[in-house]
Each structure stands twice: as structure tokens, then as C-alpha cells.
Amino acid sequence: MRVIGLMSGTSYDAVDAAAADLAVDGGTLRLTPLGALSRPYPADLEAALVRALPPGAVTMADVCRLDTGIGRAFADVAVLADRELCGGAAELIASHGQTVYHWADPDGRVHGTLQLGQPAWIAEASGLPVAADFRPRDVAAGGQGAPLVGLVDRMWLRGRPGRPVALNIGGIANITAVRPAGGTAGGHGADGDGSPRAGGSGDGTVAFDTGPGNALIDAAVRELTDGRRDHDEDGRLAAAGAVHEPLLRHLLAEPYYRLPAPRTTGKELFNGGYLRAALHAAGLDGPDRDVVATLTLLTARTIADAVRPLGATEVVASGGGVRNPVLMDRLRRELPGVPVRESDGLGLPAQAKEAYAFAVLGFLTALGLPGNAPACTGAAGPRVLGSLTPGRRPLRLPPTPAAAPHTLVVTR
């Protein structure tokens, strides 16, 4: 099946699309990348989204307009991706949508999650069926709803030696630590109720959000430049600054970092208001280059603090954060002896890896297979994720395999 995955993460700067041919071959899911592209949100839509995100106040009219505007933006990218990457031959679109709120208690319990971007707009524009709303089903089953890429990471990295860790640095950073090669894999095939499951569980894989990726860095840059810039391009501001140790100590005292896995967070916590409160507590008037340098080290250190106890033998990184050479240098310094490489070397481009992951999750939904890994999200069990919006033709889904794939192989 030819599938287009659509993703906009917690940096909310663009809609990413990745197209792939996907096929199940026994216990293996084969993914052939067809290419990726990215388009920024229209400026007025991005500004409205920024205003609406926590701690902003919105009306239901705002939510409706955003749901429509984001849906249309995703639809435009889907049509472009079908034409340019698939030659008009795409069969399914998998849309993550735009996360605007993740309802989590301070103790880590998640009650709900909201992604906007009405899939009807995508189905209407493309004529293709759309799988969307992946996260709520995992939350309804008692899970964190994230990181859902844990299942894909486990299938993708399971054959590598040692203890590989997948890292994504978006607005929020998340990791998946895969069991050592040759360890006990847990069962595959069917759960006790006879339903097929993807990848097994209880195999030693863990996944969770480590904390801020680019979120606080971006917030500081926006304020420092009066909105002229939305990120620290090439880490130049951080490179020109020095770490402010009192601010770093205050930030590292954040209770979130001591919550057990699985745990998730978002810009409900790590936002501009959070940064301003931290600066005030450290006796600083506002962000400067030293603050950007401090926040860059904060991201690197909290990732490393999460990775280190897992016995990682390599870190495979993706997401927008890999474009920041200062951040990546800080991370490597925090993890001496652990190779940190980009996901491109393993066949999935760092800038499109999550879009490819949601193409896989949409494919699993179409097959009637679970798309969550309970060991990673904390859900009560494997669940088929999301909802399906038909395209212009009657909705016809492929038959569900007798057993779910447990390994992902990227082919060319």
C-alpha cells in the first residue's frame, strides 16, 4: 500500500509529508521511502496557532477556525505529496494533526489529548481515505498517548546490537530504548483474546518524553528577537553565549524530570510563561545569548540524564533539533563514549522520520492492527488506533494479517 504520512510536531512551524510503499511479509513490515517534503504554515495561521497554545486563552470559535485552517493546510500538503512523491498513486493518508493540548496531571497521569486538523478537509481535497486521531485511543486505554513512535522505533531498531536508543528532538524531546539484541523479545502474534498485536510487549523497550527539546530555546529566541526569529539558526546565539549556572540549576529542579516512565509532557508545561517565571526566579530580566546557551545545555543534559541509565550503546537522532550543531555537540559531550548519529544513516531522513512513522501507524490502522506499544505508553493493552475518514470511493480495507509484523525493514 502506498501511504502518505503527515506530521506537524510541537514546534508547529510546518507540515511534513513522507510517502512510502508499505507491505507485510510474514513477520516483517517492509518500508520503501518514496521521498518527503515540508511546507510552512501560512503566516496568519501560524500566528493564530501560537496565540492559542498554552498559556493563551481561546474561544470555541478560535478552536473551530484553527481546526479548519490546520485541516486545509494539511490537505494542501497531502495533495502536493501525492502529486510530487507518489505520481498520483497514493492509497491512504495518515494524518497526525497538530497537537494543541495534552491534558496531564503533575503526577504524570494523562486524561486527554487534542490534535486539530479536521481530516474531512484532507479526504475532500485528495479523494483518499484518511487515518487520523491516533493518540486518544491509547489515552482512553489508560496510556500516555505518546510517544506513539515507540512502536515503530522498536520494530525498526530491534535487530541492532546492544541497546539502541531512538531520539527525536522536536519542540519536546522523546526517546525509545530498544531491548538488547538477542534478549527476550516477548510474544508475537495474538493477545490472550485472540486479537493480533504489533511487536509484542514486555520486551524491555521503554519510551517517554525527556522534556523540552526546542520548546524553551525557541521561546527565548522569539522574545529576544521581538519575533523576528523563531529558532536559533545553526545554534549561533547559543555559541555566542555562556551558561548561566544559577538558571540551569533552577531549571534542572523541575519535578517532571523525576517522574517515572512512561511519562509525557508538552507546551502546556514548557512554554514562554514557564521560561519567564524561571528567569524571574534566577534574577534575570529577560532572555539573552547566555539564556539561549543555558537552555541549549538544559535540553542536552535532560536528554542525556534520561538516556544514561538505560545503558545506551548508540543514539539514533531525528527531528528539527539535529539541525542545531551546538545542541548536538552539547549532547555528545554529555554522553561520552555513546555514538550519536542521525537517522538518515539507517534509511529514514532525520527531518521526516516522524512523518514516516505515522505513515506506518496509518497503515497498521487500515490493516486493523494495533499501533501502540503498551510497554512504551502505559496503555492497558494493544489497541487499533485512530479513526478513518473515507475518500471519494467506498472505503475498502485490506484483510487483517493473521499475525502482526514485529520487525521494520527499510528498503530501497
Side-chain angles (χ1 to χ4, degrees):
M1 177 179 281
R2 188 158 290 186
V3 184
I4 296 170
L6 300 176
M7 176 74 190
S8 180
T10 46
S11 290
Y12 52 79
D13 53 354
V15 180
D16 300 325
D21 281 333
L22 293 159
V24 176
D25 180 10
T28 299
L29 173 59
R30 300 194 181 278
L31 184 156
T32 304
L34 301 177
L37 55 81
S38 181
R39 293 296 181 272
Y41 276 127
D44 57 343
L45 178 60
E46 182 180 359
L49 179 57
V50 170
R51 289 193 301 270
L53 291 171
V58 296
T59 66
M60 292 306 296
D62 295 326
V63 174
C64 182
R65 293 187 185 102
L66 280 172
D67 194 34
T68 297
I70 295 169
R72 285 175 163 173
F74 271 64
D76 289 344
V77 175
V79 171
L80 183 66
D82 187 22
R83 182 175 68 246
E84 295 194 0
L85 305 178
C86 302
E91 299 169 81
L92 175 71
I93 295 172
S95 174
H96 170 271
Q98 178 67 65
T99 297
V100 293
Y101 195 77
H102 197 63
W103 180 13
D105 284 344
D107 65 1
R109 181 182 177 190
V110 175
H111 299 278
T113 186
L114 180 61
Q115 287 73 45
L116 296 184
Q118 173 54 243
W121 291 102
I122 306 172
E124 184 65 24
S126 67
L128 298 171
V130 180
D133 289 327
F134 294 97
R135 298 191 187 279
R137 182 62 187 277
D138 185 80
V139 173
Q144 296 278 313
L148 292 182
V149 294
L151 174 71
V152 179
D153 289 339
R154 181 174 66 187
M155 295 170 66
W156 177 44
L157 298 180
R158 61 177 297 139
R160 294 187 66 78
R163 179 78 156 168
V165 171
L167 164 67
N168 183 74
I169 311 176
I172 301 298
N174 62 70
I175 61 173
T176 304
V178 180
R179 67 174 178 84
T184 302
H188 303 298
D191 287 324
D193 62 1
S195 60
R197 70 187 186 188
S201 62
D203 64 356
T205 300
V206 294
F208 56 93
D209 291 343
T210 63
N214 302 309
L216 296 181
I217 301 170
D218 292 351
V221 171
R222 284 192 180 94
E223 187 168 341
L224 177 60
T225 64
D226 294 322
R228 294 187 302 275
R229 300 180 191 173
D230 58 8
H231 68 286
D232 185 12
E233 186 173 0
D234 294 328
R236 293 170 188 164
L237 292 171
V243 172
H244 189 283
E245 292 294 343
L247 175 60
L248 181 62
R249 286 195 297 272
H250 175 82
L251 291 165
L252 288 171
E254 165 58 48
Y256 176 79
Y257 304 128
R258 281 165 285 285
L259 291 177
R263 65 177 191 249
T264 54
T265 188
K267 288 189 174 177
E268 302 76 34
L269 176 59
F270 296 111
N271 54 44
Y274 178 95
L275 175 59
R276 286 189 291 273
L279 295 178
H280 177 76
L284 300 175
D285 294 330
D288 56 17
R289 293 174 178 177
D290 292 350
V291 169
V292 177
T294 304
L295 296 173
T296 301
L297 179 56
L298 173 74
T299 293
R301 183 160 297 173
T302 51
I303 291 171
D305 286 348
V307 168
R308 206 174 294 112
L310 300 173
T313 53
E314 65 174 334
V315 173
V316 182
S318 62
V322 303
R323 294 180 295 187
N324 184 331
V326 177
L327 172 58
M328 296 305 290
D329 178 67
R330 297 290 187 272
L331 179 59
R332 289 184 172 98
R333 292 186 186 189
E334 292 286 323
L335 290 171
V338 180
V340 179
R341 54 175 55 95
E342 294 186 18
S343 62
D344 301 63
L346 276 67
L348 295 180
Q351 303 306 316
K353 186 246 181 176
E354 287 217 322
Y356 277 114
F358 275 90
V360 171
L361 294 181
F363 178 66
L364 294 176
T365 295
L367 291 180
L369 295 173
N372 64 335
C376 297
T377 68
R383 298 290 187 270
V384 179
L385 303 180
S387 59
L388 284 163
T389 301
R392 295 195 188 103
R393 301 173 183 173
L395 185 61
R396 294 187 177 91
L397 301 178
T400 302
H406 50 74
T407 301
L408 173 67
V409 174
V410 179
T411 63
R412 292 293 180 184

